[in-house]
Amino acid sequence: MIRNLTKMIFGLALTVLSVAAYAQTTVSGNIVDSEGEALIGVNVLVEGTVLGTISDIDGNFSLTVQSQPPFNLVISYVGYESQIIEVTSGTTQVDIQLEESTLLGQEVVVSASRVAESSLKSPVSIERMDILDIQNAPAPDFYTGIRNMNGVDFSTQSLTFKSVNARGFGANGNTRFVQLIDGIDNQAPGLNFPVGNVVGISELDLESVELIPGAASALYGPNAIQGILLMNSKSPFDYQGLDFYSKVGVTHMDERDHEASPYTDLGFRYAKAWNNKMAVKINASWLRAQDFIGVDQRDQSGATVEGNLAANRENNRVYDGINTYGDFLIDIGTIADITIAGDPVNGPSVAAIRSLLPNGTNGAFSPTGYQEADFVDNTTESLKLGGAFHYRINDKIEAIAQMNWGQGSSVYTANDRFILDGFSIWTGKLELRGDNFFVRAYTTQENSGDTYAANTIASLINQRRYLPTYFSTYAGAISTGAIAPNNYTALHAAARAAADAQQPQPGSETFEADFDEFRNLSIAEGGAKFLDNSALWHYEGSYNFKNEIDFADVVVGANFRTYALNSEGTLFTLDDAGDEVSFNEFGGYVQISKDIIDNVKLQGSVRYDKNENFAGQFSPRISGVWEFLADQNFRASFQRGFRIPTTQDQYIDLDVVTRRLIGRNDILTENYNINSNTVYTTESVMAAQASGNVDDLVVAADAYKDFTTEKVSTWEVGYKGLLLDGKLLIDAFYYNSTYQDFGAEIDVTQAVVTGDIQSVPGGYSVGSAGARHADAELQTFVDGGATGVSLQRYGYDTNIDQDIKTYGFGLGAEYSFLDGFNLGANASFNKLEDLDDLTARTYNVAFNTPEWRYNITFGNRKITDRIGFGLTYRWQDAFLWQSAIGSSVIADFATLDAQVTYQLPSVNGRIKIGGSNILNERYTTSHGNPSLGALYYVQLNLDNILSNF
């Protein structure tokens, strides 16, 4: 029996091999341009398969296909018109001449519908960059160049950390915007947002970028509520050889806040394929520079900061500079209570004069703080390593194993200025794909390295070194009768003079010792070190029924994801077992597209997603595209999207000096007695302290509502078309969005036991959640505290109970003329309705978007055979920025970027000389972020180096 089975298997193997051998077809060819010059690296793909190859240095290619003719070859090359060549039974050699593309708008995009389609006929607004756009952009790197897309805003926290924002609700860490690299979610799992490109993709390995502004949840799931960015790397089959770049430059040329400093960026990529069957690639890049610095000294000691602000503390005892750290608000009475409760030596003497040591306004002050430039290391660094192994199982299926690792030092502005030192993320992916399906599994793993919080570390130093001197001088002046107890101004002046004289300065032995101690001590242990080793695991698949269903194009997909939080107690709360939580979510979608009549295509999709902590959500989308004239397309769409509250929204438990951030879950609600000890809006507490009237206190009713997912309904109309014989491309859109259960942070205040914020003072418990305290307890809020009772601020997330409405429009135009010159412009307008009303209700909606912005581009990548250039002028309007760290008006600004490129054809290279913000007009993109100046650079690229030898 075994012998017969062996014979059967052997016979079957021979049959398969013989059929395969019989079915093999080898096609060779040569590809040249219109001048007859060989084109290297042209993509040759067998239509309907994963099989393809590229032309060599002489323009030659050879391809073996495991099937019989007829079949089609798709010939494509960036900057040239694609061709489809039919291979018949008698075809073995094809000679192809490619013509340079003279028409605009010929790009093929995938992200808009998860299927390949012309960008002219995309059902939603979409922006794209290809290899030539990346190479010729007047920007120091491709990620910076994304800001030139229509309707895109940037929040720049560092040279290496930029956050992409679209259509409102911008943020330094945008949890409403999704970023994918080869289908892998690039977010930091513990933060729920991508950290720019500091640990992202190397520019040498990047093939294309596609960006959809606006809701994309119907296809891409939760949190793609404001848009999605997809970055696709180069296949080692299609892009082979050794590539290298070196970029050197200089920052801080004006030496305004730092001496002129070098900028260095190096990278390489190597890819090799064998027999169109197996291929590998490796790539690496390294960047190092001296970053720009936060220098905003405006006072933000009020609840909100708008307009012109005091820039010093001479006229404000509670001064809190935006980029001054350690100047937290405290009062003499609170320090007295802490001393009485915890210092058996000095406590009795303080208790004797406690009635003379004021809480509230009379006792309030802030320590003299430290400037960011004085103690924060502004060295930014980024190291990225990547590799992939590709194997073509047959002509229809390709297997991929891919891994990327990145580590960097940068700065992240949130509720503090977090110094990301040695921060890293690595991703690993396994994938099977064909031309009509994919199945993938990947993990994203985060490690915060030696990250620390700048304001926290400065505050801890001041608590140790500044407050004791300040308090002892104040109390001593009263005890000795040197200053009258009600002469608050003189008492604080004397205390500050003494504390300033004793305050250790950056660079001193005392300061550096304290700095090192707190930097290496976790926040959970009373230090400033931020720990996060959170992870996610993701499983996903999609199938296109194009080979099974003829009446329509049908695509289905599903995914499952697990989050595992791990901050060692520094960021997230612990459950009853003392562990940080893990939770799951899953989803699935179906999309149907059909041409109903000539030149009219309708598309409908629906997606369902479920997170174990929240009710399931449906996200439908319906869209239509009408080509009413040749290359003239009108589009319309309606879709719903939603956002699951982030891991921080749900589980954060973090002291950020000025207040404590707590998530919305039962554990934290119980730990901090939210239901049994009513909280009041911080704005009303400040108003009551100013008026002396308890009636001004307002219960924070929003803290007692159910917490749910945020939803948006968006409809959009647009036009995209070619005019003037394809020389002029016009893209216009209008959108209108309505948000329900919008997620926003509120600032609330609670009376707590001094030194123990998880305890309720005697007599302060209420009978029901949200019940108002009696006037006697309310007077504590007016007075700023009482003996043994302090006021504690919290940042707390909630859902706004009214609809949030936004709308906007954009217009883009690109004109090609005079043999290669391109003139482009785009402008966008975004508006949040009823902002004043929302602000009056103390909602921090954080629209954070200028109403008007525009870009103007001009260039020619081939003025001559060797020289090209590009210019970009950008301007944006002033706007209000609201965030956890503070709020202020961001001034309008304009910048000019430029580059000149010189080709080196003898070595397949080019030199690029350019600059970002070449006029060096300093600007800031958001509250608390650095003052950005010019970056000038020279870049050398060498492509396919080994072919030169």
Side-chain angles (χ1 to χ4, degrees):
M1 180 178 177
I2 295 176
R3 181 180 300 173
N4 291 335
L5 182 59
T6 302
K7 288 181 178 179
M8 289 175 60
I9 295 173
F10 184 68
L12 181 61
L14 288 177
T15 301
V16 170
L17 289 173
S18 63
V19 169
Y22 174 77
Q24 283 186 349
T25 302
T26 300
V27 181
S28 302
N30 182 259
I31 306 175
V32 298
D33 63 14
S34 59
E35 303 294 328
E37 296 290 333
L39 291 175
I40 182 175
V42 177
N43 291 317
V44 181
L45 176 69
V46 180
E47 192 173 44
T49 74
V50 298
L51 190 61
T53 188
I54 59 173
S55 59
D56 62 20
I57 191 171
D58 298 314
N60 297 320
F61 72 91
S62 179
L63 191 62
T64 299
V65 183
Q66 304 296 327
S67 60
Q68 294 181 342
F71 53 82
N72 292 332
L73 298 180
V74 180
I75 315 298
S76 62
Y77 194 48
V78 176
Y80 289 78
E81 295 180 8
S82 298
Q83 293 186 27
I84 297 178
I85 306 296
E86 184 179 7
V87 176
T88 61
S89 58
T91 305
T92 58
Q93 175 74 26
V94 291
D95 294 319
I96 302 165
Q97 185 180 78
L98 294 183
E99 301 290 335
E100 286 198 60
S101 178
T102 58
L103 297 178
L104 301 171
Q106 302 305 301
E107 304 91 348
V108 173
V109 295
V110 178
S111 57
S113 304
R114 283 192 181 264
V115 295
E117 60 191 351
S118 166
S119 66
L120 286 175
K121 298 182 179 180
S122 168
V124 294
S125 295
I126 188 167
E127 300 288 327
R128 188 177 190 276
M129 295 172 65
D130 60 26
I131 291 176
L132 287 181
D133 295 325
I134 294 166
Q135 291 178 353
N136 294 283
D141 58 84
F142 85 91
Y143 204 86
T144 302
I146 293 172
R147 66 186 175 186
N148 298 327
M149 292 179 172
N150 195 4
V152 173
D153 300 304
F154 258 30
S155 174
T156 301
Q157 302 156 82
S158 164
L159 286 166
T160 54
F161 192 173
K162 307 174 180 73
S163 292
V164 181
N165 303 311
R167 296 189 178 179
F169 305 108
N172 291 319
N174 196 343
T175 58
R176 292 181 169 89
F177 191 89
V178 173
Q179 180 171 295
L180 304 179
I181 298 177
D182 291 332
I184 301 172
D185 194 334
N186 187 226
Q187 67 167 281
L191 302 175
N192 283 155
F193 59 80
V195 287
N197 198 44
V198 63
V199 290
I201 188 170
S202 167
E203 186 167 307
L204 280 181
D205 196 37
L206 182 67
E207 182 182 46
S208 66
V209 177
E210 295 182 16
L211 185 146
I212 301 175
S217 294
L219 291 182
Y220 293 98
N223 306 332
I225 195 170
Q226 294 300 128
I228 187 166
L229 177 69
L230 297 99
M231 293 173 281
N232 303 303
S233 71
K234 297 174 179 176
S235 165
F237 286 108
D238 299 336
Y239 299 88
Q240 297 183 41
L242 176 62
D243 302 332
F244 168 81
Y245 78 88
S246 174
K247 186 185 305 177
V248 294
V250 62
T251 59
H252 298 283
M253 284 291 289
D254 57 10
E255 298 191 337
R256 181 180 300 182
D257 45 45
H258 196 282
E259 65 271 14
S261 303
Y263 175 98
T264 305
D265 186 5
L266 306 171
F268 81 91
R269 177 185 185 273
Y270 177 73
K272 174 67 176 177
W274 292 270
N275 300 321
N276 291 315
K277 192 73 174 176
M278 182 172 64
V280 297
K281 67 176 179 179
I282 57 173
N283 60 83
S285 64
W286 175 74
L287 180 151
R288 182 181 174 90
Q290 295 304 306
D291 221 331
F292 293 105
I293 301 168
V295 295
D296 193 343
Q297 302 307 312
R298 290 180 297 171
D299 179 22
Q300 60 173 353
S301 58
T304 61
V305 181
E306 301 178 31
N308 295 320
L309 311 168
N312 54 65
R313 70 161 50 254
E314 275 66 27
N315 57 354
N316 187 359
R317 193 170 68 232
V318 296
Y319 169 81
D320 179 14
I322 293 176
N323 289 123
T324 303
Y325 307 125
D327 48 353
F328 55 90
L329 179 66
I330 196 167
D331 62 57
I332 293 295
T334 296
I335 300 175
D337 290 337
I338 294 173
T339 304
I340 293 168
D343 186 348
V345 175
N346 298 308
S349 61
V350 172
I353 60 168
R354 175 63 180 89
S355 62
L356 303 177
L357 302 175
N359 292 95
T361 302
N362 291 331
F365 70 98
S366 64
T368 300
Y370 297 97
Q371 307 304 309
E372 179 172 316
D374 292 338
F375 75 102
V376 172
D377 181 4
N378 70 323
T379 301
T380 187
E381 195 165 9
S382 173
L383 174 63
K384 306 186 189 82
L385 303 175
F389 173 77
H390 291 232
Y391 183 76
R392 286 172 174 165
I393 299 172
N394 54 42
D395 290 358
K396 300 289 186 179
I397 301 176
E398 183 174 339
I400 303 171
Q402 178 177 324
M403 185 170 182
N404 293 284
W405 176 87
Q407 184 180 75
S409 297
S410 188
V411 181
Y412 163 49
T413 307
N415 38 65
D416 204 320
R417 283 277 277 175
F418 290 97
I419 313 305
L420 308 180
D421 188 4
F423 176 89
S424 67
I425 290 178
W426 70 266
T427 62
K429 179 183 77 167
L430 296 175
E431 180 173 346
L432 283 178
R433 69 181 182 191
D435 78 313
N436 65 332
F437 80 96
F438 71 81
V439 179
R440 68 170 65 107
Y442 67 82
T443 183
T444 303
Q445 306 276 332
E446 172 189 358
N447 187 322
S448 57
D450 294 320
T451 294
Y452 66 92
N455 186 46
T456 299
I457 207 168
S459 297
L460 290 170
I461 293 173
N462 270 344
Q463 287 173 20
R464 171 180 287 180
R465 304 294 178 182
Y466 196 95
L467 293 188
T469 302
Y470 195 105
F471 178 75
S472 63
T473 302
Y474 190 106
I478 293 176
S479 297
T480 61
I483 303 175
N486 62 352
N487 191 349
Y488 305 114
T489 299
L491 286 167
H492 280 290
R496 184 171 301 280
D500 284 350
Q502 295 295 318
Q503 185 182 42
Q505 296 304 302
S508 67
E509 183 176 342
T510 300
F511 181 93
E512 297 304 320
D514 287 350
F515 182 90
D516 290 341
E517 177 187 346
F518 292 130
R519 176 177 176 171
N520 293 305
L521 192 65
S522 77
I523 292 174
E525 298 171 312
K529 186 175 183 179
F530 176 88
L531 300 175
D532 190 10
N533 295 289
S534 298
L536 68 82
W537 285 266
H538 186 92
Y539 313 90
E540 180 180 10
S542 179
Y543 191 85
N544 187 326
F545 286 92
K546 65 180 183 179
N547 298 325
E548 293 81 14
I549 299 176
D550 295 328
F551 73 90
D553 297 325
V554 180
V555 180
V556 300
N559 70 273
F560 181 87
R561 175 176 291 188
T562 296
Y563 286 94
L565 305 183
N566 180 11
S567 69
E568 300 183 30
T570 65
L571 179 61
F572 301 114
T573 190
L574 305 178
D575 62 19
D576 294 337
D579 300 319
E580 291 181 85
V581 300
S582 295
F583 58 93
N584 303 318
E585 59 188 41
F586 64 87
Y589 66 89
V590 58
Q591 174 181 275
I592 300 176
S593 306
K594 184 172 179 58
D595 296 321
I596 56 171
I597 58 175
D598 289 344
N599 302 323
V600 176
K601 184 176 184 178
L602 291 182
Q603 186 179 88
S605 62
V606 63
R607 182 182 177 101
Y608 176 80
D609 286 277
K610 176 71 174 72
N611 179 290
E612 67 177 70
N613 297 329
F614 299 93
Q617 300 290 325
F618 284 98
S619 303
R621 183 179 86 173
I622 185 168
S623 61
V625 180
W626 174 32
E627 187 177 18
F628 58 92
L629 292 173
D631 293 327
Q632 309 289 314
N633 298 278
F634 174 80
R635 64 181 183 270
S637 66
F638 171 82
Q639 57 186 308
R640 282 180 60 85
F642 76 103
R643 182 176 73 93
I644 295 173
T646 68
T647 53
Q648 293 191 51
D649 293 339
Q650 298 179 61
Y651 299 107
I652 194 170
D653 186 7
L654 179 65
D655 183 359
V656 293
V657 182
T658 58
R659 56 188 181 150
R660 191 173 193 91
L661 305 180
I662 56 175
R664 287 296 298 270
N665 67 75
D666 292 341
I667 299 172
L668 286 164
T669 298
E670 182 176 344
N671 285 349
Y672 293 102
N673 308 296
I674 301 299
N675 291 332
S676 59
N677 184 14
T678 300
V679 297
Y680 299 83
T681 68
T682 297
E683 185 175 67
S684 73
V685 172
M686 297 177 70
Q689 290 175 353
S691 68
N693 189 349
V694 297
D695 293 336
D696 288 336
L697 291 167
V698 178
V699 172
D702 290 312
Y704 299 96
K705 300 187 305 187
D706 290 337
F707 194 43
T708 186
T709 57
E710 176 184 316
K711 299 92 176 172
V712 64
S713 298
T714 298
W715 60 268
E716 178 182 335
V717 294
Y719 162 84
K720 196 169 189 177
L722 296 175
L723 303 171
L724 304 180
D725 296 324
K727 300 294 185 182
L728 177 62
L729 173 66
I730 300 292
D731 188 5
F733 65 85
Y734 173 86
Y735 74 90
N736 191 294
S737 297
T738 300
Y739 295 80
Q740 296 176 313
D741 298 318
F742 185 87
E745 183 183 273
I746 55 174
D747 196 311
V748 300
T749 299
Q750 183 185 56
V752 299
V753 173
T754 298
D756 184 6
I757 63 174
Q758 293 189 9
S759 295
V760 181
Y764 284 75
S765 294
V766 295
S768 60
R772 191 177 179 88
H773 286 101
D775 284 354
E777 286 73 39
L778 292 178
Q779 189 62 40
T780 301
F781 291 88
V782 175
D783 295 339
T787 301
V789 180
S790 300
L791 300 185
Q792 174 66 43
R793 286 176 59 186
Y794 298 107
Y796 205 53
D797 285 282
T798 188
N799 298 111
I800 297 178
D801 57 7
Q802 72 180 70
D803 289 350
I804 305 297
K805 297 182 178 181
T806 68
Y807 64 91
F809 55 84
L811 175 64
E814 185 177 356
Y815 180 56
S816 178
F817 63 101
L818 294 180
D819 193 25
F821 284 93
N822 279 275
L823 178 63
N826 61 64
S828 61
F829 175 86
N830 298 278
K831 180 72 173 180
L832 169 66
E833 295 185 2
D834 302 322
L835 174 60
D836 292 340
D837 176 58
L838 293 166
T839 302
R841 296 184 61 188
T842 72
Y843 289 130
N844 186 359
V845 292
F847 189 60
N848 296 348
T849 301
E851 287 194 353
W852 285 101
R853 71 184 309 276
Y854 65 79
N855 302 299
I856 299 174
T857 61
F858 178 58
N860 187 331
R861 63 184 180 88
K862 291 182 69 175
I863 299 178
T864 70
D865 288 342
R866 297 197 176 192
I867 299 176
F869 78 95
L871 298 169
T872 298
Y873 179 81
R874 297 192 322 278
W875 176 87
Q876 71 174 45
D877 204 357
F879 66 101
L880 174 64
W881 183 278
Q882 299 174 306
S883 63
I885 198 172
S887 303
S888 64
V889 171
I890 306 303
D892 64 302
F893 65 84
T895 64
L896 178 65
D897 302 339
Q899 66 87 12
V900 176
T901 302
Y902 183 79
Q903 301 292 332
L904 304 170
S906 62
V907 293
N908 292 332
R910 60 190 175 277
I911 294 176
K912 181 177 179 180
I913 302 174
S916 175
N917 188 17
I918 61 173
L919 301 180
N920 202 27
E921 297 289 340
R922 290 294 188 114
Y923 68 96
T924 301
T925 61
S926 48
H927 181 89
N929 279 339
S931 173
L932 301 171
L935 165 60
Y936 307 101
Y937 60 89
V938 178
Q939 179 173 338
L940 170 66
N941 278 73
L942 297 175
D943 300 330
N944 213 350
I945 297 173
L946 299 181
S947 66
N948 299 320
F949 301 97

